[in-house]
Amino acid sequence: MRYCGSPFPLSAAETGYDHGVTLLDLDEGFAPRHIPLTRPVPIHRLPSTGVASLAEVASALSNLELSPDTPREAQPFVYLSLTADRPVTQIAAEAEALIEALPVRLAGLSIARPGDVTTPEIPPPSLSDTSPEDLFLMAFHQSHGVEPDTAHLAAFRDALSEI
């Protein structure tokens, strides 16, 4: 007996696996035979490797030639791996809105900030050497991977003026 794993990909890393079961025929000695399991719906990882911008993934989704009449249970699953070129929460909301408008089911969404892998941890400056706005700028960049735009700065300055 052997554990064959899930008959269906449970993560984006498994989309290329040949899922199936192994049959051992002991009547003829030891004859293992792999029986592949067909997937009931397609599964896509976009992009196929690495990360891409939401615009690139949207283009790849349009290339899938999806039929808007596809019943929910027959709609393909998609795993999206995006890069953050603006605040992560904004990208997530836009990705979810994109998926809602298409006949696909979101199986997973990851958003990588550009410095996630290579940026070393820098100790924060002492409070006596910085201003509240400097702390806001550092926290925003750390949380979203990009600099705040003018609307974010205006909202921060407005909130600071209330204190």
Side-chain angles (χ1 to χ4, degrees), residues 152-163:
H152 294 110
L153 281 171
F156 171 77
R157 290 174 182 151
D158 187 43
L160 187 61
S161 71
E162 298 291 321
I163 297 177

Side-chain angles (χ1 to χ4, degrees), residues 89-113:
T89 53
Q90 182 181 356
I91 295 170
E94 291 172 11
E96 290 174 11
L98 174 66
I99 293 300
E100 293 274 329
L102 296 171
V104 296
R105 294 178 278 177
L106 184 62
L109 172 64
S110 66
I111 303 173
R113 287 178 256 173

Side-chain angles (χ1 to χ4, degrees), residues 46-123:
L46 300 172
S48 58
T49 61
V51 295
S53 70
L54 182 58
E56 292 168 319
V57 168
S59 176
L61 281 166
S62 69
N63 291 336
L64 293 179
E65 299 178 7
L66 304 165
S67 170
D69 300 327
T70 304
R72 181 79 174 148
E73 67 275 2
Q75 293 175 353
F77 286 102
V78 293
Y79 290 94
L80 306 181
S81 296
L82 306 174
T83 185
D85 55 0
R86 54 191 179 284
V88 171
T89 53
Q90 182 181 356
I91 295 170
E94 291 172 11
E96 290 174 11
L98 174 66
I99 293 300
E100 293 274 329
L102 296 171
V104 296
R105 294 178 278 177
L106 184 62
L109 172 64
S110 66
I111 303 173
R113 287 178 256 173
D116 278 353
V117 178
T118 59
T119 304
E121 192 68 32
I122 300 170

Side-chain angles (χ1 to χ4, degrees), residues 10 13 20-22 37 50 71 93 111 154 159-161:
L10 296 177
V21 295
T22 302
L37 295 174
I111 303 173
L160 187 61
S161 71

